[in-house]
Amino acid sequence: MAQPASLVTVPEESFGKPGWGRRGEFELAGQRVRYDRGADRLSLFDVLTAGRAPLRYTWSSPAGDSEADCTARQTEVAAGVLALSTKPWTLNCRWRGASDATLQIGEGRVQWGQATREGSYQRGDLTLALRSVHRLEGAAFATATPVGYEMLRDGQVIGSVDLSRGVPRLRRPEANTPLGRAVTEAALALALVWEPS
């Protein structure tokens, strides 16, 4: 994905593996992440479709275990080859353990012909704005689905997760700081959740 100038010099960390499946574990900078995720779809007469994608993950860091419980949802109505989203895609997360945080992001305004996703992550007084990225590095046109996400503080991009290359790639502030921890928790949720389909 295209990176903003504020992140060009920030080192990139990859995590996970291609085709990592419904449940498993991996390491991010030597810290273990265990996850369990799914995607369910309920269709009524091939007209109304409700999708739900639950996600749970535990990140074991020096600050302790941080456990996330997330759900992505989307509802569509179809008529022939046309489909209309009656309840656009949303993702809601709540953390417990070493972190007491929440995340909410959903499809909102249309930009470059794409429904962008915007939201926030909040832990105490620390708030990050979240937004989807729909442009690949060097591409002239936007993609229909997000190729990654940016995390912003006071309007400046301070972190990102690139989902365009099979294995997620994270750029974040120093991992041991509250800001680095917040970016990591948000990035893990955004990278691990499946699209409700």
Side-chain angles (χ1 to χ4, degrees), residues 61-144:
S61 72
D65 284 0
S66 175
E67 300 174 19
D69 189 4
C70 305
T71 302
R73 296 180 191 279
Q74 183 172 9
T75 303
E76 292 182 337
V77 174
V81 295
L82 298 175
L84 175 65
S85 184
T86 58
K87 288 189 180 175
W89 181 92
T90 60
L91 173 64
N92 292 288
C93 298
R94 182 168 299 281
W95 281 264
R96 64 185 180 280
S99 180
D100 183 20
T102 59
L103 178 149
Q104 295 178 324
I105 187 170
E107 290 179 343
R109 66 189 171 97
V110 176
Q111 185 176 9
W112 304 307
Q114 310 304 317
T116 61
R117 296 175 177 178
E118 297 177 347
S120 65
Y121 165 98
Q122 185 165 3
R123 180 171 16 107
D125 294 335
L126 176 61
T127 300
L128 299 177
L130 309 171
R131 69 180 176 204
S132 59
V133 176
H134 294 262
R135 291 205 181 267
L136 293 167
E137 189 77 38
F141 299 101
T143 60

Side-chain angles (χ1 to χ4, degrees), residues 21-197:
R22 187 175 188 90
R23 67 179 51 95
E25 64 180 65
F26 59 90
E27 287 194 2
L28 173 60
Q31 298 167 352
R32 188 173 67 178
V33 178
R34 294 182 313 275
Y35 67 91
D36 187 357
R37 62 189 182 165
D40 305 315
R41 182 180 179 135
L42 176 62
S43 182
L44 183 62
F45 305 113
D46 292 328
V47 174
L48 179 67
T49 304
R52 182 179 161 280
L55 163 67
R56 288 191 180 95
Y57 81 79
T58 303
W59 174 35
S60 300
S61 72
D65 284 0
S66 175
E67 300 174 19
D69 189 4
C70 305
T71 302
R73 296 180 191 279
Q74 183 172 9
T75 303
E76 292 182 337
V77 174
V81 295
L82 298 175
L84 175 65
S85 184
T86 58
K87 288 189 180 175
W89 181 92
T90 60
L91 173 64
N92 292 288
C93 298
R94 182 168 299 281
W95 281 264
R96 64 185 180 280
S99 180
D100 183 20
T102 59
L103 178 149
Q104 295 178 324
I105 187 170
E107 290 179 343
R109 66 189 171 97
V110 176
Q111 185 176 9
W112 304 307
Q114 310 304 317
T116 61
R117 296 175 177 178
E118 297 177 347
S120 65
Y121 165 98
Q122 185 165 3
R123 180 171 16 107
D125 294 335
L126 176 61
T127 300
L128 299 177
L130 309 171
R131 69 180 176 204
S132 59
V133 176
H134 294 262
R135 291 205 181 267
L136 293 167
E137 189 77 38
F141 299 101
T143 60
T145 58
V147 294
Y149 294 88
E150 294 175 336
M151 296 80 173
L152 299 87
R153 179 106 192 256
D154 299 325
Q156 180 180 349
V157 180
I158 59 159
S160 71
V161 60
D162 181 348
L163 306 176
S164 68
R165 297 185 262 170
V167 175
R169 299 180 190 283
L170 174 65
R171 292 176 193 243
R172 60 182 171 169
E174 181 61 42
N176 297 328
T177 65
L179 203 51
R181 184 172 181 79
V183 167
T184 305
E185 286 181 340
L188 285 170
L190 293 165
L192 286 169
V193 73
W194 272 337
E195 295 290 320
S197 58

